[in-house]
Amino acid sequence: MERGKFVVVDGLDGVGKGVVVDAIVDFEKQRGRKIFDVHTWWGKDLTQPPIHDYHPRVQDLGDAELLVSSEPTYIGVGRRIRNEYVKKGDRSYDPRLIMSAFGLDRQEWLQSTVTDARKAGIHVLQSRG
């Protein structure tokens, strides 16, 4: 079985990462690819409890051919990053703390989902990395 590709669209805030990811997803949908959008799985509304409070496993992906994601994630450490560190308002955090949190979030996501998805031949498209 062919390993899935792992593609990351990265760049500074506001450069159009989401536009690029959306264009790729639209193109793949037109080609008939089955898409699993992990944002829908988690629930992006940070004011509500997550729909699923864990990363999807390969068996959760069904017949998906492309897994679409972004970082930080919307559960666990990633949710905390989005709610507290990124939208900190008047609070200030040591940049090393924030970097460590991002690293932990990425490690958890890669180990729990991306690696197995790729082994199963599922491609992964991610905004930020």
Side-chain angles (χ1 to χ4, degrees):
M1 179 178 287
E2 179 184 325
R3 283 180 68 106
K5 307 284 189 270
F6 181 39
V7 176
V8 176
V9 178
D10 215 337
L12 301 173
D13 287 347
V15 299
K17 295 179 296 295
V19 172
V20 171
V21 168
D22 289 347
I24 293 169
V25 169
D26 288 345
F27 175 76
E28 293 298 331
K29 282 181 181 176
Q30 289 175 3
R31 293 181 58 210
R33 292 238 189 198
K34 295 178 177 103
I35 311 292
F36 185 100
D37 187 339
V38 77
H39 303 105
T40 303
W41 171 266
W42 289 320
K44 285 179 70 171
D45 185 350
L46 295 173
T47 65
Q48 299 295 317
I51 296 170
H52 294 96
D53 200 17
Y54 62 95
H55 296 299
R57 303 296 190 250
V58 170
Q59 60 268 25
D60 297 320
L61 303 179
D63 59 354
E65 299 169 278
L66 177 64
L67 172 63
V68 180
S69 181
S70 64
E71 289 189 351
T73 60
Y74 282 84
I75 62 162
V77 176
R79 191 171 185 87
R80 181 65 184 232
I81 291 169
R82 288 183 185 276
N83 279 330
E84 182 64 23
Y85 304 141
V86 174
K87 299 177 182 190
K88 62 187 175 192
D90 61 350
R91 292 184 295 280
S92 179
Y93 292 96
D94 184 327
R96 292 171 291 199
L97 171 70
I98 297 171
M99 285 180 7
S100 293
F102 270 94
L104 180 60
D105 182 56
R106 285 175 171 87
Q107 180 181 4
E108 182 181 0
W109 168 240
L110 291 170
Q111 288 180 335
S112 65
T113 303
V114 173
T115 300
D116 289 340
R118 290 190 59 231
K119 285 179 185 174
I122 300 169
H123 302 296
V124 180
L125 174 61
Q126 180 171 296
S127 176
R128 295 197 179 188

